[in-house]
Amino acid sequence: MKFKTENSEKNNTPYSDAVEFNEFIQFSGMLGLDENGLVEGGIVPETEQIFKNLKANLDYYNLDFSNIVKSLVMIKNMDDFPKFNEIYVSYFNEPLPVRSSFGVTDLAMGGCVEIEFLAHK
């Protein structure tokens, strides 16, 4: 098994950023974090930052967005879901990854959205 822990070590969090097992890479839930913490401005900049961070993680494994097969979305305000979806679909081609989405009452660090991703090599 291969672990990627660069960001979790930098942010002193008790988990791995990703775990590679056979032909799959499971990415931990991602918030809209940059080097200064949670980006400001709500759902749109947070979602864009999550995909920027995902791209960096995919690059580490020499993968791209076409390798994403599943996502799990946790969003604080379901009224933001249409804005989120507009950004989300802009990163993928058909067939889109399978997805589960949940409205939640709170997220770590006060985030508006958190997404887990599963990639296949």
Side-chain angles (χ1 to χ4, degrees), residues 12 16-17 48 50 54 59 64-65 75 79 81-82 90 94 98 102 105 107 109:
N12 195 30
S16 297
D17 299 320
E48 292 286 2
I50 288 169
L54 175 60
D59 288 348
D64 61 35
F65 291 108
I75 189 167
D79 291 339
F81 208 51
S90 72
E94 297 284 338
V98 298
F102 301 93
T105 57
L107 290 167
M109 303 180 81

Side-chain angles (χ1 to χ4, degrees), residues 103-117:
V104 298
T105 57
D106 208 3
L107 290 167
M109 303 180 81
C112 294
V113 62
E114 182 173 347
I115 313 172
E116 292 180 8
F117 297 95

Side-chain angles (χ1 to χ4, degrees), residues 10-75:
K10 180 174 64 175
N11 294 317
N12 195 30
T13 52
Y15 56 83
S16 297
D17 299 320
V19 175
E20 179 179 359
F21 185 74
N22 294 333
E23 297 297 313
F24 290 95
I25 298 100
Q26 175 67 57
F27 295 98
S28 289
M30 294 183 191
L31 296 166
L33 300 173
D34 67 9
E35 62 278 353
N36 299 311
L38 189 68
V39 296
E40 294 182 10
I43 191 72
V44 172
E46 286 184 37
T47 303
E48 292 286 2
Q49 186 65 45
I50 288 169
F51 279 97
K52 181 178 177 184
N53 296 343
L54 175 60
K55 182 181 182 328
N57 280 287
L58 290 168
D59 288 348
Y60 175 85
Y61 289 98
N62 296 312
L63 303 174
D64 61 35
F65 291 108
S66 69
N67 294 99
I68 299 296
V69 295
K70 183 181 187 320
S71 66
L72 183 138
V73 177
M74 295 155 281
I75 189 167

